[in-house]
């Protein structure tokens, strides 16, 4: 596993709805179905808030040391995949901060958090095949490519994705 940027992960709070809305742009959602209606963003935000209490995962906002504003998010949540419960992982980094190793470092840190949580033996990420940046993050963070697959995200939108797995 490699990382190139120091990051700080802070648990997602109710105040992070604005950050979630910043991610809902054509540029940020180009690989996963495009921007979603605001009611879906609000509902997702509430799901994020419920994850720790339900014991099903954790979403974090990503900060750079010394910078007050978050630059992204990273998280993991329980998903049934190929007949077994696993963690699914996903991340977003704001455009002005991409390409600096932030997502890779955040993914490594969040995977360690998931490992310590100890609920599942593996974490998976499902970037679209065409999303070369996210596929590179998986490789750099120590995930192993399992296969190409059809993956539904968001609901009703099927994407050709890579299934990357990291044993925790």
């Amino acid at each position: 596993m490699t990382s190139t940027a120091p990051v700080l992960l802070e648990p997602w709070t109710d105040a992070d709805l604005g950050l979630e809305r910043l991610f809902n742009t054509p540029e940020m959602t180009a690989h996963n179905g495009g921007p979603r209606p605001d009611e879906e963003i609000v509902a997702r935000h509430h799901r994020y808030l419920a994850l720790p209490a339900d014991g099903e995962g954790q979403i974090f906002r990503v900060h750079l040391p010394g910078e007050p504003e978050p630059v992204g998010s990273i998280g993991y949540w329980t998903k049934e995949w190929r007949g077994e419960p696993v963690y699914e992982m996903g991340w977003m980094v704001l455009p002005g901060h991409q390409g600096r190793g932030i997502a890779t470092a955040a993914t490594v840190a969040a995977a360690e958090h998931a490992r310590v949580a100890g609920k599942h033996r593996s974490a998976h990420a499902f970037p679209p095949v065409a999303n070369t940046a996210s596929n590179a993050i998986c490789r750099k963070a120590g995930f192993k490519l399992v296969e190409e697959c059809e993956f539904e995200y968001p609901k009703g939108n099927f994407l050709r994705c890579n299934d990357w797995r990291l044993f925790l």
Side-chain angles (χ1 to χ4, degrees):
M1 288 187 262
T2 63
S3 64
T4 58
V7 297
L8 302 170
L9 303 185
E10 296 179 347
W12 197 259
T13 70
D14 198 46
D16 293 317
L17 178 57
L19 179 60
E20 185 66 15
R21 285 181 170 134
L22 288 177
F23 299 143
N24 194 38
T25 66
E27 178 182 14
M28 293 290 294
T29 60
H31 288 286
N32 56 7
R36 308 307 302 161
D38 193 61
E39 58 270 12
E40 288 184 31
I41 300 304
V42 171
R44 180 169 54 210
H45 172 68
H46 288 292
R47 285 193 307 274
Y48 287 178
L49 292 171
L51 285 171
D54 294 344
E56 296 299 320
Q58 178 73 58
I59 306 297
F60 301 95
R61 66 183 167 278
V62 178
H63 284 270
L64 298 178
E67 292 192 25
E69 295 300 317
V71 298
S73 70
I74 179 77
Y76 62 91
W77 51 92
T78 297
K79 174 183 189 61
E80 182 82 15
W81 183 248
R82 306 284 195 235
E84 78 173 288
V86 301
Y87 284 126
E88 180 181 348
M89 294 189 75
W91 52 84
M92 292 284 225
V93 174
L94 293 169
H97 299 281
Q98 293 175 2
R100 298 170 39 198
I102 294 166
T104 301
T107 300
V108 169
E112 177 59 17
H113 192 277
R115 186 192 66 74
V116 170
K119 187 168 183 172
H120 304 304
R121 64 184 206 108
S122 66
H124 290 250
F126 300 95
V129 171
N131 188 337
T132 56
S134 284
N135 282 284
I137 290 163
C138 291
R139 184 180 36 76
K140 291 176 196 173
F143 286 70
K144 301 297 181 210
L145 181 60
V146 177
E147 65 182 347
E148 278 190 30
C149 61
E150 289 294 313
F151 193 79
E152 186 177 19
Y153 182 82
K155 191 170 178 70
N157 184 55
F158 289 88
L159 304 167
R160 192 76 186 151
C161 292
N162 283 322
D163 174 7
W164 291 87
R165 178 180 55 219
L166 177 69
F167 287 109
L168 301 171

